[in-house]
Amino acid sequence: MAPLPDGFSYAEWNATYNGLSFGIAAMGSATIFFWLQLPNVTKNYRTALTITGIVTLIATYHYIRIFNSWSEAFTVSSKDGGDYTVQLTGAPFNDGYRYVDWLLTVPLLLIELILVMKLPQAETVSLSWKLGLASALMVALGYPGEIQEDLSVRWFWWCLSMIPFCYVVFTLTVGLAEATSKQPSPAAASLASAARYLTVLSWCTYPFVYMVKSVGLAGPAATMYEQVGYSLADVLAKAVFGVLIWALAMEKSAVEESGKLPA
């Protein structure tokens, strides 16, 4: 990763610090919740809910690593009761943890959605492979641009990563529409639709945050907006999305137990 710019204000440093801390708390508590809920859903949906917890557990680990790396990259001090000053220690800030996290969790996010929808087995396997590989390719293509300072190079890799991105978004919005309409109850169909569109909404945040440095914004402010933006998008895409997966699993379990749907 490129060295951090000098000149962070305490407010900029603190906003990033708190954003990363929020990510740890949200992902960690979500993991505990999802796994505690496993006995409350039928066996058909336990794999999906288990994967949901794995996603937030992986994210928790990487947010701890990012948070620690951020803390180690700065010294914050106040002399004689004055304002806090922020100085670089010279230690690297390793934001590459985000891309390692996304490479693991983004395909799993899509797979858990496919599993909880309980599609025919052949369709489940096919969609899981297609969406999983496309999302991993999207992340892999985005990373080379993320570590570049040259704007033309950043835009080049952004455009490449948008190709698999558009495929995944199209599949979520159009390709799964029929499967959503075939869910066993109106509530299940509504939850499946909400999960699909939340994924699209949260995912659309990432390209815009990625573009923060591509539109010429630089320095500490750009780093702050990038870190806080990614953190909020991650919480939406993983923790909040996971709550929808849990709610969908609970609804379909209730329908199965009522005898309206074969187990």
Side-chain angles (χ1 to χ4, degrees):
M1 300 297 292
L4 285 168
D6 202 358
F8 277 86
S9 68
Y10 178 67
E12 291 167 335
W13 175 86
N14 198 42
T16 303
Y17 184 94
N18 289 330
L20 296 173
S21 178
F22 174 69
I24 296 172
M27 301 299 186
S29 58
T31 301
I32 296 170
F33 173 77
F34 297 144
W35 286 349
L36 286 177
Q37 290 298 311
L38 282 171
N40 298 328
V41 301
T42 62
K43 62 181 182 180
N44 288 321
Y45 308 109
R46 287 175 188 166
T47 299
L49 200 56
T50 299
I51 292 175
T52 305
I54 290 173
V55 165
T56 50
L57 177 65
I58 292 171
T60 302
Y61 167 76
H62 284 111
Y63 264 88
I64 291 172
R65 298 302 301 267
I66 297 170
F67 178 85
N68 288 341
S69 184
W70 180 262
S71 299
E72 292 165 2
F74 298 91
T75 56
V76 181
S77 59
S78 173
K79 293 184 179 179
D80 302 323
D83 292 338
Y84 287 103
T85 59
V86 180
Q87 294 180 320
L88 295 174
T89 63
F93 172 55
N94 187 358
D95 195 29
Y97 289 123
R98 284 198 185 278
Y99 278 82
V100 176
D101 177 87
W102 293 339
L103 194 61
L104 295 170
T105 59
V106 171
L108 289 175
L109 283 168
L110 297 172
I111 291 171
E112 73 188 58
L113 175 60
I114 300 301
L115 288 175
V116 82
M117 292 184 74
K118 201 181 177 185
L119 303 171
Q121 184 175 0
E123 188 176 358
T124 296
V125 172
S126 176
L127 279 173
S128 295
W129 274 107
K130 289 178 182 177
L131 293 178
L133 290 174
S135 59
L137 180 61
M138 173 189 71
V139 174
L141 289 173
Y143 182 68
E146 186 71 69
I147 60 176
Q148 294 291 328
E149 295 296 323
D150 189 314
L151 296 185
S152 62
V153 177
R154 287 182 65 87
W155 277 112
F156 172 77
W157 288 106
W158 182 87
C159 291
L160 284 184
S161 67
M162 289 301 291
I163 296 172
F165 173 88
C166 290
Y167 167 74
V168 173
V169 168
F170 176 82
T171 302
L172 289 173
T173 54
V174 178
L176 291 177
E178 183 179 354
T180 300
S181 66
K182 293 180 179 178
Q183 293 299 300
S185 70
S190 177
L191 287 166
S193 181
R196 287 163 52 221
Y197 285 108
L198 175 63
T199 303
V200 172
L201 175 64
S202 60
W203 276 33
C204 285
T205 306
Y206 292 96
F208 286 105
V209 176
Y210 187 99
M211 287 191 295
V212 164
K213 293 180 180 178
S214 300
V215 296
L217 185 61
T223 301
M224 178 196 68
Y225 289 135
E226 184 178 60
Q227 294 302 318
V228 173
Y230 280 148
S231 298
L232 294 176
D234 274 349
V235 171
L236 279 176
K238 296 170 186 174
V240 177
F241 174 78
V243 170
L244 289 176
I245 295 296
W246 162 77
L248 179 56
M250 289 289 288
E251 170 62 22
K252 295 182 75 170
S253 295
V255 173
E256 286 184 2
E257 291 172 351
S258 71
K260 296 178 181 179
L261 185 69

